[in-house]
């Protein structure tokens, strides 16, 4: 039997993925034999038996931990949590005695789900717009480094709502670099002079079939008709998008996009919703104003991003329709970092007072509210990701804030349906859920500021059953 090296590597890669599930079911192992062609069964059998023989050694047992489950308002009684493969296999207040498992003494620390940022731009943080649009090679390397830092802050999952993150996601999923799970929307879809149109005046007039670096690299894409929306939407799905992101109204960072302007027409919005529904998923829209929000909802959009200039009538409508509101307690640095006297700074001054008011409306009408950061073009600001979460204490209890950044955000991710790139339950600590976990020094339900200092307070960070950080080992 002669196997080329790449064939052997492919078998090992498949088996390494399949074997963690063997303790619960032999079907992946059987699948391995079916998939392997004639003449390779003996080697495959040896590999399978070898992996299975040490499978228990890969189990991890957290002992004596207090659990925040991603939903409740209190920690559990002292408990033991067994991880098998990438799944939480057992949770018990009684002793658990798995053979050969790695034991981690929790000593009463808090075990909680990995954090989820529902409004992230993985490719638009470590570099400015010029690099992202014009030097995609550099942007990818910088984004990869930032992705590892994101994971080390305890964020095991992000929903990427605009940017060319497909390659980054692939590199993370294949283990080439470490980073969070990414739910990508692909290029931000905008219109001429809309939010996300970062072209220069010299790029005008727009010529059909000719694209700027911004569009070629996938940062954002200009669509000026329902047919263009359909075409570009399908292209995003072809590349691996799990949702679509449109900019239905003006924005702060785009120089040619006034806040009050409603950008997409109703037929254009409906075209995006139609394609997303055909793919079994949904559309999220950037929208600040009442007109942008109401037209988006009428078109069938399932998630409003921001909504910071909404009226009370808008809040009632969002609640009645069961629409998601993806809201961010935007960091003050995002406003003060804009040049005084600039168009962008003036728009920020108009938007920022709406943050608190929108949170109050969300609470008053019990809107399904997700949490995110919307950090752009600043690694220093990205380092404040946990502090931005902790700032929710202005409106929510620590338990409510943490539930929003775990279990609730995971519910929003599930709107992607069969486009979900990570089948399994995220954002909770319960049997059968995916093992994305944080072991925290202290009780974050008493002191939410613990999440603002992940370097010192997150003793263990686990993603997909693999320990990415363990300072207890020291």
């Amino acid at each position: 039997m002669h196997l080329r090296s790449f064939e052997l590597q492919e078998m090992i890669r498949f088996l390494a993925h399949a074997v963690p599930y063997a303790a619960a079911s032999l079907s992946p192992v059987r699948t391995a034999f079916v998939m392997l062609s004639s003449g390779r069964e003996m080697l495959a059998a040896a590999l399978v038996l070898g992996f299975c023989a040490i499978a228990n050694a890969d189990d991890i047992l957290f002992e004596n931990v207090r659990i925040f489950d991603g939903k409740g308002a209190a920690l559990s009684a002292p408990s033991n949590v067994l991880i098998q493969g990438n799944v939480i296999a057992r949770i018990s207040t009684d002793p658990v005695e798995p053979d050969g498992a790695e034991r981690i003494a929790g000593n009463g620390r808090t075990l909680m789900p990995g954090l989820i940022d529902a409004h992230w731009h993985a490719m638009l943080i470590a570099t400015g717009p010029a690099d992202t649009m014009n030097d995609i090679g550099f942007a990818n390397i910088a984004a990869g480094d930032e992705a590892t830092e994101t994971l080390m802050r305890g964020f095991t999952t992000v929903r990427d709502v605009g940017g060319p993150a497909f390659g980054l996601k692939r590199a993370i999923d294949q283990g080439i670099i470490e980073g969070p799970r990414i739910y990508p929307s692909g290029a931000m879809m905008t219109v001429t002079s809309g939010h996300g149109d970062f072209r220069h005046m010299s790029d005008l007039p727009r010529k059909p079939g000719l694209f700027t670096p911004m569009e070629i690299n996938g940062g954002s894409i200009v669509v000026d008709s329902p047919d263009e929306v359909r075409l570009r939407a399908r292209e995003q799905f072809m590349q691996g998008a799990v949702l679509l992101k449109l900019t239905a109204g003006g924005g702060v960072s785009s120089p040619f996009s006034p806040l009050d302007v409603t950008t997409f027409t109703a037929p254009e919005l409906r075209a995006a919703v139609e394609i997303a529904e055909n793919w079994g998923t949904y559309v999220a829209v950037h929208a600040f104003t009442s007109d942008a929000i109401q037209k988006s909802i009428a078109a069938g959009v399932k998630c409003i991003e921001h909504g910071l200039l909404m009226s009370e009538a808008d809040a009632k409508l969002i609640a009645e329709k069961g629409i998601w509101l993806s809201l961010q307690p935007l960091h003050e640095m995002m406003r003060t970092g804009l040049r005084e006297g600039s168009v962008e700074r003036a728009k920020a001054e108009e938007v920022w007072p709406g943050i608190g008011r929108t949170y109050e409306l969300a609470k008053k009408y019990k809107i399904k509210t997700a949490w995110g950061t919307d950090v752009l073009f600043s690694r220093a600001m990205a380092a404040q990701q946990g502090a931005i979460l902790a700032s929710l204490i202005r409106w929510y209890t620590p338990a409510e804030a943490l539930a929003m950044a775990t279990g609730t955000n995971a519910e929003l991710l599930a709107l992607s349906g069969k486009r979900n790139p990570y089948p399994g339950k995220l954002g909770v600590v319960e049997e059968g859920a995916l093992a994305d976990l944080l072991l925290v020094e202290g009780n974050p339900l008493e002191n939410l500021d613990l999440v603002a200092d992940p370097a010192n307070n997150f003793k263990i960070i686990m993603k997909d059953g693999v320990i990415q950080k363990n300072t207890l080992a020291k």
Side-chain angles (χ1 to χ4, degrees):
M1 178 172 60
H2 299 285
L3 292 177
R4 295 186 295 273
S5 62
F6 80 88
E7 293 175 313
L8 179 59
Q9 291 169 5
E10 286 302 309
M11 281 196 293
I12 292 173
R13 185 176 294 115
F14 174 81
L15 292 170
H17 175 77
V19 167
Y21 299 94
S25 169
L26 290 178
S27 59
V29 178
R30 295 194 187 101
T31 303
F33 283 102
V34 172
M35 292 182 68
L36 294 170
S37 62
S38 175
R40 304 175 186 171
E41 286 85 350
M42 290 180 63
L43 177 57
L47 288 168
V48 170
L49 292 174
F51 276 118
C52 287
I54 64 170
N56 285 342
D58 292 332
D59 295 350
I60 297 173
L61 178 64
F62 290 94
E63 298 181 296
N64 186 21
V65 293
R66 305 283 303 281
I67 299 170
F68 170 66
D69 64 3
K71 300 176 291 185
L75 299 183
S76 71
S79 302
N80 304 298
V81 180
L82 176 64
I83 311 302
Q84 292 184 324
N86 68 341
V87 173
I88 300 171
R90 187 178 176 191
I91 300 174
S92 177
T93 55
D94 296 325
V96 177
E97 299 294 340
D99 292 335
E102 177 184 353
R103 294 173 180 268
I104 296 174
N107 294 330
R109 296 181 179 91
T110 301
L111 188 72
M112 62 173 285
L115 298 170
I116 301 171
D117 193 324
H119 193 114
W120 193 244
H121 297 280
M123 292 294 297
L124 305 175
I125 293 169
T127 55
D131 283 325
T132 304
M133 303 307 177
N134 299 308
D135 191 346
I136 195 65
F138 173 76
N140 272 306
I141 293 171
D145 188 61
E146 173 56 38
T148 302
E149 292 298 313
T150 303
L151 181 60
M152 289 300 101
R153 292 192 289 269
F155 287 86
T156 52
T157 304
V158 297
R159 187 178 66 134
D160 192 282
V161 284
F166 299 122
L168 176 63
K169 175 184 180 297
R170 182 181 177 190
I172 292 170
D173 290 348
Q174 292 187 6
I176 296 171
I177 59 172
E178 302 299 339
R181 303 175 190 269
I182 297 178
Y183 282 72
S185 70
M188 193 161 39
M189 299 177 71
T190 184
V191 300
T192 295
S193 197
H195 179 56
D197 184 357
F198 290 104
R199 294 176 300 164
H200 303 291
M201 290 295 188
S202 58
D203 294 322
L204 303 180
R206 183 174 178 233
K207 303 172 183 65
L210 296 179
F211 300 99
T212 60
M214 173 194 80
E215 296 170 297
I216 294 170
N217 289 336
S220 43
I221 189 81
V222 177
V223 289
D224 284 322
S225 72
D227 284 342
E228 279 196 307
V229 170
R230 294 185 185 97
L231 172 60
R232 303 307 169 200
R234 290 179 176 125
E235 287 178 346
Q236 304 317 305
F237 286 127
M238 183 176 179
Q239 296 174 85
V242 303
L243 73 149
L244 296 178
K245 163 72 177 301
L246 279 68
T247 59
V252 170
S253 59
S254 301
F256 308 118
S257 177
L259 288 177
D260 62 296
V261 171
T262 302
T263 51
F264 280 85
T265 65
E268 289 167 341
L269 289 169
R270 286 196 298 271
V273 170
E274 177 187 21
I275 299 305
E277 289 180 347
N278 287 349
W279 280 76
T281 184
Y282 69 102
V283 172
V285 295
H286 163 107
F288 284 142
T289 65
S290 292
D291 192 54
I293 290 169
Q294 292 188 19
K295 285 182 177 176
S296 297
I297 293 174
V301 165
K302 293 291 191 294
C303 185
I304 303 296
E305 306 291 323
H306 313 307
L308 298 180
L309 299 178
M310 71 165 59
S311 67
E312 188 149 353
D314 299 328
K316 290 180 183 178
L317 179 65
I318 290 171
E320 290 169 0
K321 297 288 187 180
I323 305 300
W324 279 86
L325 176 64
S326 175
L327 188 51
Q328 307 81 35
L330 299 173
H331 198 287
E332 185 65 9
M333 287 170 59
M334 296 176 69
R335 181 185 68 83
T336 58
L338 298 170
R339 181 174 55 84
E340 288 193 35
S342 65
V343 171
E344 293 86 349
R345 180 64 176 266
K347 289 190 287 186
E349 300 290 356
E350 185 177 347
V351 164
W352 249 248
I355 297 172
R357 182 171 175 275
T358 306
Y359 270 112
E360 294 296 345
L361 288 172
K363 289 180 62 181
K364 179 177 180 179
Y365 292 101
K366 297 181 173 57
I367 293 171
K368 293 188 294 187
T369 308
W371 170 84
T373 54
D374 195 20
V375 172
L376 289 169
F377 313 132
S378 172
R379 296 195 75 169
M381 202 179 308
Q384 300 299 312
Q385 199 173 9
I388 296 172
L389 172 57
S391 73
L392 287 178
I393 198 68
R394 289 176 281 176
W395 305 285
Y396 298 96
T397 68
E400 289 171 335
L402 288 177
M404 192 180 299
T406 54
T408 301
N409 273 359
E411 292 177 23
L412 174 57
L413 298 179
L415 281 186
S416 294
K418 290 185 177 181
R419 302 288 76 75
N420 188 339
Y422 310 105
K425 199 159 190 180
L426 290 171
V428 292
V429 181
E430 62 182 48
E431 292 181 359
L434 294 172
D436 290 6
L437 299 167
L438 308 177
L439 187 66
V440 184
E441 188 72 56
N443 182 355
L445 301 192
E446 294 178 351
N447 179 13
L448 189 56
D449 283 335
L450 292 176
V451 302
D453 187 7
N456 290 311
N457 297 323
F458 292 172
K459 298 302 181 182
I460 289 179
I461 297 173
M462 172 182 282
K463 176 196 161 195
D464 208 36
V466 178
I467 294 177
Q468 303 287 341
K469 169 189 174 182
N470 183 0
T471 59
L472 296 182
K474 296 181 181 179

